[in-house]
Amino acid sequence: MGHFVNVEDLSSNQVMHLIDRAIAYKKGEVKHVTGHVVNMFYENSTRTKHSFEMAQYRLGMHIINFEVQTSSVQKGESLYDSLLTMKALGVDTAVIRHFDDNYYEPLMNLGINIVNAGSGCGSHPSQSLLDMMTIYEEFGNFETLTVAIIGDLVHSRVAHSNMQLLKALGARVLLVGPKWYFNERMLQWGEYVDIETAIEISDVVMMLRVQLERHDDVMLMSAEGYHESYGLSLERQKRMKPHAIIMHPAPVNRNVEIADALVECSQSRIVRQMENGVYMRMAILESVMEG
Ligand code: CP
C-alpha cells in the first residue's frame, strides 16, 4: 500500500509496469482488488472522477462518493478532518482532487493511501500516465519521439506532469505558447519553440485547454486571436507529419486551442485518452493497494 501523488516519485520501470498492467486490463484481464475507497473532488471533473469510479467498479472495490457540496465541508470542515473521518469509518484509500497544488503534503501520515486526481496548477499524475499509455500504444517507445505541449503551460497541471515524465522517459519535449503562459523553470524539461516549428517536427501534438478559471485577469487575447496564433487550426494540422497524433486532456474549448473538426479526426487520440483512463486508473489503484 502507498501513495500516488506525483510523477516525480516514479522510476521509468514503475511507469512501464503501470503501462503494462493498464494494457493487460484493456485486453480483458479481470482482477478483484480488496479495498474501501472514497472519491473526494473539491474541483469539478467529468473524466477523472468517473473513470476512477469505473476503474473501482471493475476492480470490485467498495466505493464512497464524498460530495463536497452536501458534506460538512460547507460547515468549515477541513480536508484533513474530512479525511480523518474517512479513516475512522474504515476507508483505506482516498482519490482526491483539490485546488491547492500541495494539498496532499499534510495528509501523508494519516494511514490512508492518497491518490492524487489533480492538484491545483501542480500535478495530474493519473492523466499523465494515461497519456504515456496512449503514446506507448501508438509508437512503442518514448526515446525516438518529439512531443510538443502547446498552450496554457503555466496553469496546466497536465502539462507540468507530462513535461517531467516525458523528459524522464527520454522524449524530446517542445514547449509552445504565449510568453505569459510560460515559465523559465520549465526549460529543465523542454525547449521553448514557436508553434510553426513544433507542428512540423513533432510526433505528438498535445494541445492544452486555456484555463480561464485559473487566470487572475481576463484572457489577454480573443478566442479567435488565440486560435490564430496558438491553436491547432485546420491549416496547421495539414503541416503535421502524416504519422503524428493529436492529444488533449479535455475538456476541450472547441475553436480556441483546437479546431472543432479536429477533435475526432483520424489523427486525434482524444477519445482514446479517455478510454485508456479507465485502464490506467485500474493499474494505479491495483498498485496503490498492493504496493
Ligand atoms: N482531463 C481531466 O482531468 O478532465 P476532468 O477535469 O473532466 O477530470
Side-chain angles (χ1 to χ4, degrees), residues 41 44-49 97 117 124 127 157-158 249-251 281:
F41 279 68
N44 296 339
S45 169
T46 301
R47 278 145 293 275
T48 311
K49 183 169 191 282
R97 170 170 289 189
H124 197 347
Q127 176 73 44
R157 54 194 171 210
V158 179
R281 287 169 176 130

Side-chain angles (χ1 to χ4, degrees), residues 141-248:
N141 82 95
F142 297 96
E143 296 85 351
T144 63
L145 301 180
T146 298
V147 181
I149 307 178
I150 303 176
D152 187 354
L153 297 162
V154 80
H155 297 107
S156 173
R157 54 194 171 210
V158 179
H160 294 144
S161 291
N162 275 348
M163 62 182 84
Q164 290 171 29
L165 199 46
L166 284 162
K167 163 97 175 168
L169 293 169
R172 181 183 179 194
V173 180
L174 305 180
L175 304 170
V176 182
K179 280 266 184 214
W180 56 88
Y181 294 159
F182 174 72
N183 181 326
E184 299 241 324
R185 202 176 71 88
M186 297 170 185
L187 291 173
Q188 63 188 298
W189 300 297
E191 307 152 48
Y192 188 52
V193 302
D194 67 274
I195 188 164
E196 312 308 345
T197 303
I199 290 288
E200 288 176 6
I201 68 174
S202 296
D203 304 291
V204 178
V205 173
M206 188 180 286
M207 306 307 299
L208 301 172
R209 183 171 67 86
V210 179
Q211 307 214 0
L212 291 173
E213 75 276 20
R214 299 193 197 282
H215 297 184
D216 292 334
D217 46 20
V218 293
M219 194 167 163
L220 294 171
M221 301 176 82
S222 66
E224 294 78 15
Y226 184 89
H227 188 67
E228 196 172 310
S229 300
Y230 301 104
L232 185 58
S233 60
L234 296 173
E235 189 278 328
R236 288 197 176 104
Q237 181 259 337
K238 289 192 183 77
R239 289 190 285 110
M240 286 171 54
K241 290 181 181 176
H243 71 259
I245 61 170
I246 299 166
M247 298 177 71
H248 190 307

